[in-house]
């Protein structure tokens, strides 16, 4: 009985060793598969890493381009602003030229007016009104009615030197207010900036309002007179 | 260490690692899980492991993880971790015993041998053996019973020869 039990124990141990061996074989197989899986995962990761490098490099290049382009965009706006300033200057210079032309035109009108003025002065001299003819604007205003009548009579003799009314002068028609103001100032300060258009006059005489007057123009009083009329 | 080297070393060391873990935990399935976790941890460290260090390092990792598992299972029981770490795995005579078992089993008749190997080495159930061999369950049990009897006789004869 004892021997039989021992034999049974021996058989059990043998079968256990068989079982253990079989289990170990299966575990080794599992471990082999596990290692293969880990290896494949690592290989996949290795394949992905260069992709990340490429993406990172592309992002860095894009950032670099953005950094390079952004200041040039600023430069563009600076250039645009410069262009705007230049345009403004050009427009201003054109305006100055136009105003200079207006001044020349005004000078012509003033000359005509002065010629017309001399005629009634001769007449008034004959009629004893000489003292009023050479007086300033206030005196001229006092005698305005008489002078108007005389001017009206003599304009036929003058021919083309008709005295235009304030509303009829070219610059007055265009912008009477501006003309009067400029005539009162007597000096086109913007024109003075360009010596070719305007030669600076000797400002010894004063206007009615105490401003320096160009002795060559003498249109302040006349312009004032025309405006008042 | 290359992947092939690592795999070769682990498969060579697997029985020893399994025994070490089983010796600490006392459960072969949990020991197998611990060995798998240890292999994954060693795989992470693979580039820094030298071939000569593999055995010692793998045994240390398996021991530590086995002790950790034991602590999780029995948190209130004091564990002498130091002695467990220093303890050597039991003497490995499994290979010899397996060789003897296989020698004796191979002497059995074909059907008995197949039934024993399927049940113990391959770990198949009786139902699986039925499907694999086409025998009925009664026939499988009878074949196994005859195989045990034949093995007893074979062991007896082997001992007498010794």
């Amino acid at each position: 009985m004892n021997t039989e039990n021992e034999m049974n124990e021996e058989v059990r141990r043998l079968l256990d060793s068989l079982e253990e061996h079989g289990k170990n074989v299966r575990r080794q197989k599992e471990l082999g598969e596990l290692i293969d899986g880990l290896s494949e995962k690592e290989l996949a990761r290795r394949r992905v890493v260069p992709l990340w490098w490429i993406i990172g490099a592309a992002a860095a290049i894009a950032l670099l381009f953005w950094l390079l382009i952004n200041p040039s965009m600023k430069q563009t706006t600076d250039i645009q602003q410069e262009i705007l300033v230049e345009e403004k200057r050009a427009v201003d210079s054109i305006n100055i030229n136009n105003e200079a032309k207006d001044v020349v035109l005004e000078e012509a009108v003033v000359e005509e007016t002065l010629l017309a003025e001399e005629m009634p002065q001769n007449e008034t001299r004959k009629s004893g009104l000489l003292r009023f003819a050479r007086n300033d604007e206030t005196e001229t205003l006092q005698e305005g009615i008489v002078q108007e009548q005389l001017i009206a009579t003599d304009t036929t003799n003058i021919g083309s030197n008709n005295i235009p009314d304030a509303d009829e002068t070219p610059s007055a028609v265009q912008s009477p207010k501006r003309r009067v103001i400029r005539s009162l100032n007597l000096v086109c300060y913007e024109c003075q900036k360009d010596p070719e258009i305007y030669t600076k006059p000797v400002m010894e005489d004063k206007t009615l309002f105490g401003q320096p007057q160009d002795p060559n123009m003498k249109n302040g009083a006349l312009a004032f007179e025309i405006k008042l009329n | 260490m290359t992947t092939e080297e690592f795999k070769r070393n682990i498969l060579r060391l697997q029985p020893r690692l399994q025994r070490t873990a089983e010796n600490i935990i006392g459960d072969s399935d949990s020991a197998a899980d611990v060995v798998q976790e240890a292999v994954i941890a060693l795989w992470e460290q693979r580039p820094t492991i030298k071939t000569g260090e593999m055995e010692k390092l793998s045994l240390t990792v398996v021991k530590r993880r086995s002790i950790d598992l034991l602590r999780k299972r029995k948190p209130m029981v004091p564990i002498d971790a130091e002695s467990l770490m220093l303890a050597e795995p039991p003497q490995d005579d499994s290979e010899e015993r397996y060789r003897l078992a296989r020698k004796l089993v191979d002497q059995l008749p074909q059907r008995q041998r197949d039934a024993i190997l399927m049940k113990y080495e391959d770990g198949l159930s009786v139902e699986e053996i039925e499907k694999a061999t086409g025998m009925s369950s009664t026939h499988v049990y009878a074949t196994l019973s005859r195989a045990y009897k034949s093995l007893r006789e074979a062991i007896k004869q082997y001992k007498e020869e010794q």
Side-chain angles (χ1 to χ4, degrees), chain A residues 100-118:
Chain A
K101 283 174 187 174
D102 284 347
V103 169
V104 172
L105 195 63
E106 283 170 16
E107 280 180 4
V109 172
V110 167
E111 280 175 7
E112 286 177 3
T113 313
L114 285 171
L115 279 170
E117 195 181 9
E118 280 176 6

Side-chain angles (χ1 to χ4, degrees), chain A residues 41-58:
Chain A
K41 269 187 187 176
E42 195 178 73
L43 280 172
R45 209 182 306 146
R46 277 184 192 168
R47 277 189 219 111
V48 170
V49 166
L51 192 67
W52 279 111
W53 273 106
I54 291 165
I55 291 167

Side-chain angles (χ1 to χ4, degrees), chain B residues 17 42 45 48-50 52-62:
Chain B
L17 297 174
L42 288 164
Q45 303 295 322
T48 58
I49 300 171
K50 291 174 186 171
E53 298 171 344
M54 189 68 189
E55 186 175 342
K56 194 179 174 184
L57 189 65
S58 58
L59 276 170
T60 307
V61 172
V62 165

Side-chain angles (χ1 to χ4, degrees), chain A residues 7-8 10-11 13-15 17-19 21-22 24 26-28 30-31 34-36 38-39 42, chain B residues 7 11 14-15 18 28 32 36 39 43 46 97-98 101 104 120-123 148 152 155-156 159:
Chain A
M7 290 306 292
N8 285 341
E10 284 292 328
V11 171
R13 283 175 64 188
L14 275 179
L15 294 174
S17 68
L18 274 178
E19 193 174 6
H21 184 266
N24 276 341
R26 285 194 294 279
R27 283 171 190 149
Q28 282 179 354
E30 282 177 7
L31 278 180
L34 175 71
I35 291 166
D36 289 342
L38 291 169
S39 176
E42 195 178 73
Chain B
K7 191 176 176 181
L11 294 182
Q14 186 273 336
Q18 177 71 24
S28 68
Q36 280 202 2
V39 168
W43 175 266
R46 183 175 51 91
R97 282 196 292 124
Y98 171 72
L104 295 174
Y120 292 96
E121 195 165 304
D122 297 340
Y148 297 145
R152 274 199 297 270
I155 289 166
K156 194 178 177 182
K159 282 197 169 179

Side-chain angles (χ1 to χ4, degrees), chain A residues 94-160:
Chain A
I94 289 165
N95 287 338
I96 288 164
N97 287 338
N98 288 339
E99 284 173 4
K101 283 174 187 174
D102 284 347
V103 169
V104 172
L105 195 63
E106 283 170 16
E107 280 180 4
V109 172
V110 167
E111 280 175 7
E112 286 177 3
T113 313
L114 285 171
L115 279 170
E117 195 181 9
E118 280 176 6
M119 292 302 292
Q121 280 174 355
N122 291 334
E123 292 298 323
T124 49
R125 202 177 292 122
K126 285 180 184 174
S127 61
L129 293 171
L130 186 60
R131 58 193 175 90
F132 296 109
R134 284 198 169 271
N135 275 347
D136 57 11
E137 293 82 352
T138 312
E139 289 170 334
T140 311
L141 278 169
Q142 288 172 353
E143 298 296 324
I145 298 164
V146 177
Q147 282 191 11
E148 263 187 31
Q149 287 171 353
L150 290 170
I151 288 164
T153 52
D154 289 336
T155 46
T156 50
N157 298 328
I158 293 164
S160 63

